[in-house]
Amino acid sequence: MSGSELKITAHAIIRNGKILRNSETIFESSDTGSDFLREAYEEGLKIDYPKFYKMDALGKSGIIATEVLLQDFDFGKYKPEEAGIVLSNKNSSIEADVNYFETARSFPSPALFVYTLPNIVIGEISIRYKFKGENAFFVSDQFDADWLHFYVSDLIHHQKIKACICGWVESVDENFDTCLFLVEKEQKENAVNFTAENLKEIYGLKV
Amino acid sequence: MNKDELMLQLKEQIIKQLKLEGKTPADIGDHDPLFVEGLGLDSIDALELIVLLQQEYNIKLNNAEQGQEVFRSVSTMAEFILEKQTQYV
């Protein structure tokens, strides 16, 4: 199966104080940073998941984007091990690293320590949404659509996953740049081909 | 500080330390289990409670088994703290 037979069946973007689902703005706020995520969680999306408050900004951003991404998702369609997650960013878990380092001067915080790896956001998504297939987190200078396309296509072709959340999840100085894609084999209304060009085009949307 | 005052203080500290947003001290019963049922805390929260004891009350737990007993509820935490404070007087 080539990547072009796969479809991007949904996408979600968090950037510049806005949350978009399939290119449409579904939430907007003048709040910034963690206040923005909190407002989106409580008032915009009305998510009920108390563990959210304990997460670092990367985790919160990933959870909110996934919640938006999977709004119409049929959770009975795939077994947990048939759904994978492949994410990437530039700055790894730098915010959590710095926050943990600050506490380490007196009493190191276990709750902050557990977020000092970028792939923890994958774990948070996996736990909440039962995407328990293959997963990976890559660190690269910029959004690498070609690599993402190659890797996810290969996973679906070889590793028996049938769906994958993939994309970019970044949090630096409380600025968020998150763009997630849902990739599936099945055709859906408004789905586009899973190609590197389409990944670039969606990621590059002006928000 | 008597036990009731200490339990109220503990509840406020637990809410802050464990980031239990939306919870107030009134939501936490004195004898409610802190883990699994009740507040639903997890193993990372247990570590944070150990830090809380050390940071706020200068008390170190000696072993994991002791933690299971001490962290059963706010009431057992308060009794443990009062007992330790009495020992040092």
Side-chain angles (χ1 to χ4, degrees):
Chain A
M1 174 180 291
S2 72
S4 63
E5 292 169 313
L6 302 172
K7 305 293 178 189
I8 299 169
T9 56
H11 55 88
I13 296 175
I14 301 176
R15 192 182 293 153
N16 297 335
K18 291 181 183 174
I19 299 177
L20 281 73
R21 183 176 193 278
N22 297 340
S23 308
E24 288 183 17
T25 301
I26 61 166
F27 178 78
E28 191 170 358
S29 171
S30 57
D31 278 336
T32 56
S34 52
D35 289 340
F36 168 76
L37 292 180
R38 183 193 176 103
E39 195 181 336
Y41 169 88
E42 292 177 350
E43 295 167 30
L45 303 169
K46 301 189 190 316
I47 304 170
D48 182 19
Y49 190 54
K51 194 167 184 285
F52 175 86
Y53 294 110
K54 299 183 180 187
M55 295 176 195
D56 68 335
L58 202 62
K60 287 176 179 172
S61 175
I63 284 289
I64 286 180
T66 305
E67 186 82 17
V68 170
L69 188 74
L70 300 182
Q71 270 181 358
D72 297 331
F73 185 68
D74 176 4
F75 283 91
K77 195 159 69 172
Y78 305 107
K79 296 175 185 169
E81 62 271 22
E82 291 175 339
I85 306 172
V86 178
L87 301 180
S88 57
N89 74 7
K90 179 179 179 180
N91 291 287
S92 185
S93 56
I94 187 68
E95 279 192 335
D97 298 348
V98 169
N99 289 338
Y100 173 70
F101 181 72
E102 290 298 321
T103 69
R105 295 174 194 274
S106 52
F107 286 90
S109 165
L112 292 178
F113 175 73
V114 295
Y115 288 101
T116 56
L117 282 173
N119 56 335
I120 301 303
V121 62
I122 289 180
E124 296 290 8
I125 294 169
S126 176
I127 290 167
R128 176 156 168 78
Y129 302 98
K130 307 290 186 286
F131 272 54
K132 297 186 175 178
E134 287 289 324
N135 67 72
F137 196 104
F138 297 101
V139 175
S140 58
D141 252 355
Q142 55 193 7
F143 178 67
D144 190 341
D146 293 313
W147 170 252
L148 199 62
H149 174 256
F150 164 77
Y151 193 83
V152 172
S153 300
D154 192 65
L155 269 186
I156 294 178
H157 185 53
H158 289 108
Q159 302 284 349
K160 297 181 181 174
I161 63 169
K162 295 177 179 173
C164 190
I165 293 170
C166 64
W168 184 260
V169 54
E170 182 69 281
S171 173
V172 179
D173 297 331
E174 297 224 306
N175 288 312
F176 310 109
D177 179 19
T178 295
C179 181
L180 299 187
F181 307 88
L182 179 61
V183 179
E184 299 177 89
K185 287 182 180 177
E186 291 181 26
Q187 178 63 281
K188 270 187 182 174
E189 192 181 355
N190 299 326
V192 297
N193 286 338
F194 178 55
T195 63
E197 289 70 30
N198 282 336
L199 289 173
K200 282 177 200 167
E201 187 178 330
I202 294 168
Y203 177 77
L205 282 173
K206 297 276 185 209
V207 176
Chain B
M1 185 180 287
N2 64 33
K3 186 181 173 186
D4 285 340
E5 290 167 341
L6 179 56
M7 285 195 295
L8 178 61
Q9 180 174 287
L10 273 172
K11 289 173 187 177
E12 289 166 347
Q13 289 167 336
I14 288 170
I15 288 168
K16 184 181 175 196
Q17 186 99 1
L18 305 186
K19 297 178 182 171
L20 302 177
E21 298 279 336
K23 294 274 186 195
T24 67
D27 297 324
I28 306 174
D30 297 345
H31 302 283
D32 285 352
L34 294 177
F35 292 89
V36 189
E37 64 222 87
L39 272 189
L41 305 185
D42 60 23
S43 56
I44 301 300
D45 295 321
L47 294 174
E48 286 290 340
L49 291 180
I50 292 171
V51 170
L52 189 154
L53 277 187
Q54 194 169 342
Q55 206 167 4
E56 302 292 338
Y57 301 96
N58 201 26
I59 294 172
K60 286 187 181 179
L61 285 186
N62 295 324
N63 56 58
E65 288 73 26
Q66 192 182 21
Q68 287 184 5
E69 192 60 34
V70 171
F71 296 135
R72 207 169 54 201
S73 68
V74 171
S75 175
T76 56
M77 281 183 75
E79 285 167 8
F80 178 72
I81 292 166
L82 289 172
E83 182 190 320
K84 287 287 177 187
Q85 288 176 338
T86 307
Q87 284 175 10
Y88 294 129
V89 172

